[in-house]
Amino acid sequence: MLTIIPVPAFADNYIWLLRDGTNCAVVDPGDAAPVLAHFDREGLELCAILATHHHGDHVGGIRALLARRQVPVFGPARETTPGRTHALAEGDAITVPGLGLPLTVLDIPGHTSGHIAYVARDAQPPLLFCGDTLFAAGCGRLFEGTPLQMVESLAKLSALPHPTELYCGHEYTLANLRFASAVEPANMRVRERQRREQAKRDRGMPTLPATIGEEHATNPFLRTDESTVRAAAERRAGHALAGRSAVFAEIRAWKNAF
């Protein structure tokens, strides 16, 4: 039975552990120390490392993990990943060693130029590991990509089945929902989600995983075709906006300063 375990790191990162028995794969290990501590406490054996993009808070712990045990390292073909043994791009399919978990790869540039996502389409429910592209109720900043690239990347992720569980790289949910409420103050699904996620955080629980269905209802960056989101973006811009990319760019700039 596959178990997915969040390991907090730094101020707000999550490193995801995919465990089956004593075998464990690690997604986006920015820091080796909390991973190794968990391994030692639980008697786990590293079987693979998966990276979504090159930022240090997602790959900084890889070399220290490999010093413990040499395992396959999967990462984006268009970016540099420490110790990478398998360069991946859209359409590639892998089976995670030690877990037997089939994953397919999507190219999702925007946050970085070569960012990828891993999708377990046959899992029940399906699973999505998307790094810093799609967050619960938000999306990543555009450090290397364009608004059009990010809109297209988010469209790929939003097209996944609604029950798909979303595992992203940061605990940003409450801040993202505050912004979502500013964009759509009449969206009752946002308000309901705020209460639900606040209760989790009050109990020291992560707000993740989310689901793609929840994102369709509450994430303004997936709702740029909605009249309420477009109207909010146009009020902020002071003029009409042509197309989803323009709406997205205005909402993203608003969020950057929020």
Side-chain angles (χ1 to χ4, degrees):
M1 291 289 292
L2 184 71
T3 304
I4 303 175
I5 304 160
V7 174
F10 309 117
D12 49 38
N13 279 72
Y14 286 125
I15 300 166
W16 296 103
L17 307 186
L18 282 57
R19 175 181 179 177
D20 189 348
T22 59
N23 290 330
C24 193
V26 183
V27 180
D28 283 348
D31 186 2
V35 174
L36 293 173
H38 187 90
F39 274 32
D40 291 342
R41 187 167 60 250
E42 298 291 327
L44 302 180
E45 193 77 42
L46 181 67
C47 63
I49 297 170
L50 300 94
T52 61
H53 65 292
H54 67 84
H55 285 165
D57 64 327
H58 290 252
V59 301
I62 291 179
R63 293 202 184 280
L65 291 176
L66 293 176
R68 169 74 70 96
R69 186 177 189 220
Q70 289 291 314
V71 297
V73 178
F74 301 88
R78 294 189 289 128
E79 295 183 0
T80 299
T81 303
R84 187 185 65 196
T85 60
H86 295 72
L88 301 176
E90 179 144 345
D92 288 338
I94 64 171
T95 299
V96 181
L99 301 182
L101 177 68
L103 298 173
T104 58
V105 177
L106 296 174
D107 286 334
I108 50 169
H111 180 67
T112 64
S113 61
H115 204 304
I116 63 173
Y118 301 92
V119 185
R121 298 180 185 274
D122 296 332
Q124 295 298 326
L127 311 173
L128 168 65
F129 299 91
C130 56
D132 288 358
T133 297
L134 176 63
F135 292 129
C139 76
R141 290 176 181 260
L142 277 63
F143 288 117
E144 299 172 12
T146 66
L148 178 58
Q149 283 180 314
M150 186 61 107
V151 165
E152 291 176 345
S153 294
L154 293 174
K156 290 180 187 179
L157 301 181
S158 69
L160 294 170
H162 279 210
T164 301
E165 291 186 342
L166 159 64
Y167 295 87
C168 58
H170 291 270
E171 181 58 75
Y172 290 163
T173 309
L174 291 179
N176 288 340
L177 286 168
R178 285 193 292 272
F179 176 69
S181 184
V183 176
E184 293 188 279
N187 186 334
M188 296 309 298
R189 293 286 298 274
V190 171
R191 295 188 180 278
E192 291 166 6
R193 191 176 181 188
Q194 281 181 300
R195 289 192 291 270
R196 187 169 67 249
E197 307 299 7
Q198 183 65 63
K200 292 178 187 176
R201 297 306 290 155
D202 290 345
R203 297 194 299 271
M205 298 171 57
T207 60
L208 301 168
T211 68
I212 293 296
E214 286 179 305
E215 298 312 306
H216 275 275
T218 60
N219 189 328
F221 297 103
L222 296 190
R223 294 171 57 78
T224 49
D225 273 344
E226 296 291 330
S227 60
T228 49
V229 175
R230 173 178 290 276
E234 290 180 339
R235 283 195 299 273
R236 182 168 174 83
H239 56 80
L241 297 169
R244 293 189 68 179
S245 292
V247 174
F248 171 86
E250 188 62 37
I251 295 293
R252 183 64 256 184
W254 183 3
K255 177 64 166 66
N256 290 348
F258 189 73

